[in-house]
Amino acid sequence: MADKKPAKTVTTQTNPRGIPVAPFVDNVADYVASRDDVEPTLRSFQEMISKYQFMEVNSQRRGQGLREKIPDIKKTLEMVRFLKVQKESSSSLETNFELNDTLYARATISPTDTEEVYLWLGANVMLAYPIDEAETMLQDKLSAAELSLSNCEEDLEFLREQITTLEVATARVYNWDVVQRRKDKADGKGGDD
């Protein structure tokens, strides 16, 4: 038992958001210390694949939410910038606004009424912001959402690579075990003759 090689530990390398890198099995005999380590190794790989798949689903959901949110932020930012330009032009603005799905009202907005804008923050919360502050806040929010979406897409690609690496590693360990069993069976038959 003292000659038994210890199994390699999982590497602690991670991507920028802390997702661990899957172990790459180049030489199965070096990775798996003995045939007794095959089942625990395969279970460990399956567990890691499940964790990566869970992270993948969460990243997909987060990305989808951001893809839906970004156009709304852009539209709101464009409207705030439009109101800012209207305020600076000192001319009244005539507009139609939606009261209900099929009900609209006409309004004339004077430049003095465009000192602040009300932004819907969600969860039944609406706040009034000065136009410049609203523009800055929306621009920051848009930049953060776009960065988060970019990170999300990068994580998805990274996770797919890790799942593929583990699936290949699982196949290699399994195939190595099958070959070892065949060799043992052949050696056992040769010794009985």
Side-chain angles (χ1 to χ4, degrees), residues 30 33 44 57-58 68 85 110 129 174:
D30 288 344
S44 170
V57 167
N58 285 338
E68 291 171 3
V85 168
S110 71
Y129 286 92
Y174 180 80

Side-chain angles (χ1 to χ4, degrees), residues 155-170:
D155 286 351
L156 279 170
E157 185 177 325
F158 178 80
L159 287 165
R160 287 182 190 118
E161 288 173 9
Q162 302 318 300
I163 290 169
T164 301
T165 299
L166 280 171
E167 288 171 342
V168 169
T170 300

Side-chain angles (χ1 to χ4, degrees), residues 23-178:
F24 179 75
V25 178
D26 188 30
N27 186 340
V28 177
D30 288 344
Y31 191 84
V32 178
S34 73
R35 292 212 22 245
D36 294 335
D37 290 339
V38 170
E39 285 302 318
T41 300
L42 291 174
R43 273 195 305 273
S44 170
F45 287 172
Q46 284 307 117
E47 185 179 305
M48 285 190 282
I49 288 172
S50 294
K51 288 177 183 178
Y52 283 131
Q53 288 171 334
F54 177 76
M55 287 185 266
E56 181 182 30
V57 167
N58 285 338
S59 292
Q60 287 171 338
R61 284 184 187 145
R62 194 170 70 245
Q64 184 60 35
L66 288 166
R67 279 185 209 88
E68 291 171 3
K69 189 189 300 185
I70 287 173
D72 290 340
I73 296 170
K74 284 181 179 178
K75 203 160 111 178
T76 304
L77 181 58
E78 286 173 18
M79 182 52 65
V80 167
R81 287 179 176 155
F82 174 76
L83 289 173
K84 185 177 178 181
V85 168
Q86 281 302 122
K87 176 183 156 193
E88 292 167 356
S89 73
S90 299
S91 62
S92 293
L93 171 67
E94 194 167 301
T95 185
N96 294 320
F97 61 95
E98 186 177 8
L99 294 174
N100 200 340
D101 289 340
T102 58
L103 183 62
Y104 290 83
R106 181 173 293 270
T108 302
I109 303 169
S110 71
T112 58
D113 292 335
T114 56
E115 293 297 319
E116 61 185 15
V117 63
Y118 290 82
L119 297 179
W120 185 259
L121 301 179
N124 294 326
V125 175
M126 182 180 277
L127 289 178
Y129 286 92
I131 293 240
D132 291 336
E133 193 177 317
E135 182 182 20
T136 302
M137 192 260 308
L138 286 167
Q139 184 58 55
D140 292 347
K141 198 171 184 178
L142 178 62
S143 297
E146 288 173 338
L147 177 64
S148 186
L149 179 60
S150 172
N151 289 342
C152 214
E153 289 169 350
E154 186 180 306
D155 286 351
L156 279 170
E157 185 177 325
F158 178 80
L159 287 165
R160 287 182 190 118
E161 288 173 9
Q162 302 318 300
I163 290 169
T164 301
T165 299
L166 280 171
E167 288 171 342
V168 169
T170 300
R172 283 181 158 178
V173 170
Y174 180 80
N175 291 338
W176 177 83
D177 186 45
V178 168

